[in-house]
Amino acid sequence: MPDTPAWPSPARRFSPPARYCAANHFRHFTRGRYALGEAFRLAGIGRQGALLAPAYHCVTMLDPALALDAEIHLYPLQADLSPDPMALERLLGTIQRPVKALLATHYFGIAQDFSHLKAWCVDHGIALIEDCSHVLLTEHFRAAGTGIHGHFVTSSPYKFFACDDGGLLYAADAQRLDPVATTPATLIEELRGLKNAVERSRGRTLPSRDSASIDERLELLSATKLDWGNDQLIDRDGPSSLFSIASATTSSLRSSRFVVDHSSIDENIQRRRENYQRWVRTVAAVPNCRALFPLLPADCTPYMFPLHIDHPNPHFHWLKHLGVPIWRWDEMADSTCEISCDHRLHLLHLPCHQALTEGQMDWMTAALEKTLRHAVEGVQ
């Protein structure tokens, strides 16, 4: 079996292709975070083995390592969110405990070239764990340039399909996964998953408001003293509430795998790219922001649209109060990476998933444009 076998072309609706290689190269989990935790464990992460992780991260990327009581070192990133090789080398020289693994992430569905990073890891005897949680990667399909460098590869198929759960662990060397054992979901969990999958397939709802109501609410919000909350970094010595030890070895639902296998990849890619490009066109003429990746690669399936805003206080909070479904990673661990420190509060994640309707995109783009054009006190 070759080290980097080629995945087949995109799946068609109701006709899933054969796996690109044998099923023993995969293990299924309820979430990508648990697949990641198993990859950490297999790589030797724990009290005796340290992890190198990207400074820009969500809590669930570090939770599995914290659950293993591991020492974590955050490496700096460059402007395109690729690892800074010189900073990485300097950081490695300061670590006393053996470094067993490096976590590298393809952010927002845009593939990074990790070929040099893999060579660096091999030279230093470090396992490369390729995080494809923002990438369209299943047993039958992978986005170009992803899933080919890591000794272990993890993904979160449920983020791209209307299913209730789904995390995937892959290894080109199937023997690496021999120690992995998962527990199947119960019948009750399967039935609950089917119910949730049906509800998800009906689409997601957003507030039904016209442009006039956005203007009215922005005027009210700008005249109201809002609580910005606590933007301070939080030190943690254990996993967050999003990580469940009880769920760490549970296999994903059979219904979820059925949905992934029988959904149209072509339609998924097309709709996500259209919505992403819609965001790019919208923000091109809007002040106080910039698209982090305005040029979408031809072979890319975006997960979210990353938007850098100039004034998170108040614009982020106004958007949240309006009901725009946006996210940011403001609970990151502390680091010296300037890019990550900036993105923690300034980088928004906007939805571009395939289930969004034209009306929902119209409302969200209008809300974003009106909010970012709205005057901020003390700013000319």
Side-chain angles (χ1 to χ4, degrees):
M1 188 68 62
D3 287 342
T4 55
W7 265 263
S9 59
R12 306 295 171 178
R13 188 182 298 276
F14 303 123
S15 57
R19 292 183 179 91
Y20 74 94
C21 63
N24 62 338
H25 288 260
F26 301 93
R27 295 294 185 275
H28 290 272
F29 296 84
T30 59
R31 290 286 189 274
R33 71 198 68 163
Y34 303 123
L36 193 58
E38 195 63 20
F40 288 164
R41 186 184 69 83
L42 293 172
I45 295 299
R47 294 184 179 181
Q48 304 304 317
L51 170 69
L52 288 168
Y56 187 64
H57 59 267
C58 67
V59 294
T60 58
M61 292 165 65
L62 301 189
D63 276 345
L66 291 171
L68 293 168
D69 201 20
E71 183 178 286
I72 302 172
H73 298 271
L74 302 178
Y75 62 82
L77 300 174
Q78 302 180 105
D80 64 351
L81 296 181
S82 64
D84 184 331
M86 295 182 63
L88 190 57
E89 188 71 40
R90 290 193 298 269
L91 175 61
L92 183 64
T94 68
I95 302 173
Q96 300 300 315
R97 188 168 297 181
V99 175
K100 294 294 186 179
L102 181 147
L103 178 64
T105 301
H106 301 283
Y107 295 98
F108 305 110
I110 297 176
Q112 298 278 354
D113 182 1
F114 289 146
S115 57
H116 296 293
L117 187 63
K118 181 177 183 178
W120 184 86
C121 286
V122 171
D123 288 343
H124 291 84
I126 297 172
L128 175 61
I129 299 176
E130 191 174 349
D131 176 16
C132 295
S133 60
H134 284 193
V135 172
L136 183 54
L137 189 150
T138 75
E139 288 181 277
H140 310 295
F141 176 87
R142 69 166 175 87
T146 66
I148 56 177
H149 300 298
H151 297 95
F152 299 102
V153 179
T154 64
S155 69
S156 300
Y158 84 97
K159 293 182 178 180
F160 288 85
F161 299 93
C163 52
D164 204 39
D165 71 350
L168 199 62
L169 172 62
Y170 161 78
D173 180 359
Q175 291 184 342
R176 289 177 177 266
L177 301 183
D178 286 347
V180 180
T182 57
T183 303
T186 66
L187 177 60
I188 292 177
E189 290 169 336
E190 289 284 0
L191 293 174
R192 186 184 301 119
L194 280 171
K195 175 179 177 294
N196 292 339
V198 171
E199 292 176 350
R200 284 173 180 264
S201 68
R202 294 171 179 168
R204 308 179 188 185
T205 59
L206 290 174
S208 178
R209 303 188 182 104
D210 56 24
S211 297
S213 68
I214 295 174
D215 292 327
E216 294 171 0
R217 295 203 68 200
L218 280 174
E219 288 300 327
L220 179 61
L221 288 169
S222 64
T224 304
K225 185 176 181 180
L226 298 176
D227 180 8
W228 305 137
N230 182 8
D231 283 338
Q232 298 301 311
L233 292 164
I234 301 174
D235 291 329
R236 293 187 292 116
D237 55 7
S240 73
S241 60
L242 297 175
F243 189 90
S244 168
I245 297 296
S247 301
T249 58
T250 302
S251 183
S252 59
L253 300 169
R254 292 180 178 84
S255 59
S256 294
R257 287 180 241 173
F258 181 89
V259 169
V260 172
D261 290 346
H262 293 80
S263 296
S264 170
I265 299 290
D266 290 341
E267 182 180 346
N268 188 310
I269 294 173
Q270 179 182 349
R271 288 293 300 149
R272 283 178 175 269
R273 289 184 62 86
E274 289 172 352
N275 291 334
Y276 189 101
Q277 299 289 10
R278 172 80 179 272
W279 282 119
V280 171
R281 293 192 299 272
T282 295
V283 305
V286 175
N288 301 315
C289 70
R290 61 178 174 86
L292 191 65
F293 298 113
L295 299 177
L296 193 62
D299 53 3
C300 169
T301 306
Y303 169 55
M304 303 283 273
F305 175 71
L307 180 70
H308 187 281
I309 61 173
D310 296 339
H311 310 294
N313 292 342
H315 285 158
F316 169 75
H317 302 278
W318 287 356
L319 288 167
K320 294 293 285 187
H321 278 274
L322 285 173
V324 180
I326 55 173
W327 296 264
R328 66 181 184 183
W329 288 346
D330 48 15
E331 296 184 11
M332 293 190 298
D334 197 7
S335 76
T336 60
C337 175
E338 294 183 2
I339 296 295
S340 302
C341 291
D342 172 84
H343 288 0
R344 187 175 75 88
L345 298 181
H346 290 261
L347 191 65
L348 307 185
H349 307 182
L350 293 160
C352 64
H353 59 80
Q354 67 275 12
L356 289 168
T357 66
E358 286 298 315
Q360 290 170 339
M361 286 297 298
D362 288 344
W363 184 86
M364 286 193 297
T365 53
L368 180 77
E369 181 173 3
K370 288 174 178 291
T371 298
L372 295 183
R373 288 186 181 279
H374 203 282
V376 177
E377 184 176 353
V379 177
Q380 299 295 324

